Amino acid sequence: QVQLVESGGGLVQAGGSLRLSCAASGLTFSNYAMGWFRQAPGKEREFVAAISWNVLITYYHDSVKGRFAISRDNAKNTVYLHMNSLKPEDTAVYYCAATRTAVVRSEKWYDYWGQGTQVTVSS
């Protein structure tokens, strides 16, 4: 049974930082590209960042480029999202996801999803 468990969310002031973690189990982690998505209240879920299995390729949504960084540790079966210079508009539930395809932005290609972790940025 595949499980993706996010952690690290919380309440932070604008300009602050958070690091999200996503621990994977039940799959061969190094065979999967990983992605982070987010969903704000009343909005559709959107792509945030993705990383290839070998960390050579990363993609970011334009709104987070230069502020967020995705990384992974295949030895720990964990993917991270380092979030800096947070803004109120970053407030959302953040989800990690795994895909057997090449690293992609579209959520339709992702096979497994976590339950999400809430990030709230106060102004």
Side-chain angles (χ1 to χ4, degrees):
Q1 179 182 357
V2 175
Q3 282 193 312
L4 302 177
V5 180
E6 301 96 336
S7 61
L11 174 64
V12 63
Q13 288 189 331
S17 299
L18 282 175
R19 187 185 77 165
L20 304 184
S21 300
C22 172
S25 60
L27 75 171
T28 305
F29 186 69
S30 58
N31 286 349
Y32 287 78
M34 299 296 295
W36 285 96
F37 294 78
R38 66 186 181 187
Q39 186 167 24
K43 295 187 177 181
E44 293 187 351
R45 189 161 56 190
E46 67 175 3
F47 169 79
V48 176
I51 187 167
S52 61
W53 69 272
N54 59 2
V55 309
L56 292 182
I57 301 172
T58 56
Y59 292 140
Y60 295 94
H61 190 280
D62 285 346
S63 66
V64 306
K65 282 181 181 176
R67 299 189 299 121
F68 290 12
I70 188 170
S71 65
R72 66 188 294 163
D73 185 337
N74 287 343
K76 295 183 178 179
N77 288 1
T78 301
V79 61
Y80 305 97
L81 186 66
H82 309 262
M83 305 187 295
N84 299 311
S85 302
L86 282 161
K87 304 176 181 180
E89 51 264 43
D90 295 318
T91 295
V93 177
Y94 282 72
Y95 300 89
C96 72
T99 175
R100 284 295 305 269
T101 66
V103 58
V104 290
R105 295 177 175 90
S106 174
E107 65 175 75
K108 71 178 182 180
W109 296 108
Y110 285 80
D111 305 298
Y112 303 106
W113 292 82
Q115 82 291 346
T117 186
Q118 176 70 48
V119 171
T120 302
V121 183
S122 63
S123 57

